Amino acid sequence: MAQTKFDGTVVNTVGELPEVGASAPEFTLVGSDLSDVTLADFAGRKLILNIFPSLDTDVCAASVRKFNEEATKLDNTSVLCVSADLPFAQERFCVSNGIDNVKNGSSFRSTFGNDYGVKLADGPLAGLLTRAVVVVCPEGKVHYVQLVDEITTEPDYDAAIEAVKAI
């Protein structure tokens, strides 16, 4: 179990992020059109997993906007924004904000949070996902991870982008 903070109070996740160099855990999320979104959908591409609690918070929304902007500058790279928000809410957010360079995946009926160690085990957001970034190389190996140490702050975009460029 890993620890992070929410508003300065320590909270726990159900596990640990995958280790750099390990195979990225397989997943099945629910896309905006209710179709499955899987790790295999991104085979042969670099993948940024932008993981967060809910689009209904300013910081989560900012991370989607920032990765949407950065996605256009990265070759052979996809960004998958993962939260427990329902697919309809994810789609509504992206349409109303003009976001079209990222894909969304809802974890609402998935084991993603457990498999990636990012489901919050306690605290006010228990059951939602914590804020984290995972970069996966085209061969499906984990290349970079960040568990953000305070859920109410944004991830280290520069480090994630540099990790993608280094692949």
Side-chain angles (χ1 to χ4, degrees):
M1 147 177 351
Q3 291 186 327
T4 184
K5 292 182 181 172
F6 178 67
D7 282 337
T9 301
V10 173
V11 292
N12 297 290
T13 65
V14 298
E16 301 282 338
L17 283 168
E19 291 187 25
V20 171
S23 292
E26 296 292 331
F27 59 78
T28 301
L29 299 165
V30 181
S32 298
D33 61 357
L34 301 179
S35 66
D36 288 347
V37 177
T38 68
L39 181 61
D41 294 339
F42 303 96
R45 297 185 58 77
K46 302 171 197 175
L47 176 62
I48 299 171
L49 296 171
N50 176 31
I51 305 162
F52 51 87
S54 174
L55 284 167
D56 286 326
T57 69
D58 292 339
V59 176
C60 298
S63 73
V64 173
R65 288 185 190 101
K66 180 66 174 178
F67 279 120
N68 180 66
E69 175 188 321
E70 293 298 326
T72 63
K73 304 173 192 172
L74 300 169
D75 293 330
N76 192 38
T77 303
S78 296
V79 177
L80 179 59
C81 296
V82 183
S83 69
D85 293 300
L86 292 176
F88 316 110
Q90 291 174 334
E91 178 70 9
R92 184 173 48 251
F93 174 85
C94 288
V95 169
S96 67
N97 285 275
I99 293 173
D100 54 10
N101 298 316
V102 301
K103 187 167 179 102
N104 291 304
S106 175
S107 67
F108 87 100
R109 62 177 181 213
S110 168
T111 61
F112 179 90
N114 290 327
D115 298 340
Y116 276 76
V118 293
K119 183 176 176 182
L120 288 163
D122 54 31
L125 301 179
L128 296 178
L129 306 180
T130 192
R131 186 173 318 285
V133 177
V134 177
V135 174
V136 180
C137 71
E139 296 77 29
K141 300 286 185 189
V142 174
H143 182 72
Y144 168 86
V145 296
Q146 180 197 14
L147 174 62
V148 178
D149 57 2
E150 169 58 62
I151 295 171
T152 61
T153 62
E154 294 180 57
D156 187 342
Y157 302 111
D158 293 338
I161 299 306
E162 288 306 311
V164 169
K165 290 178 180 178
I167 297 174

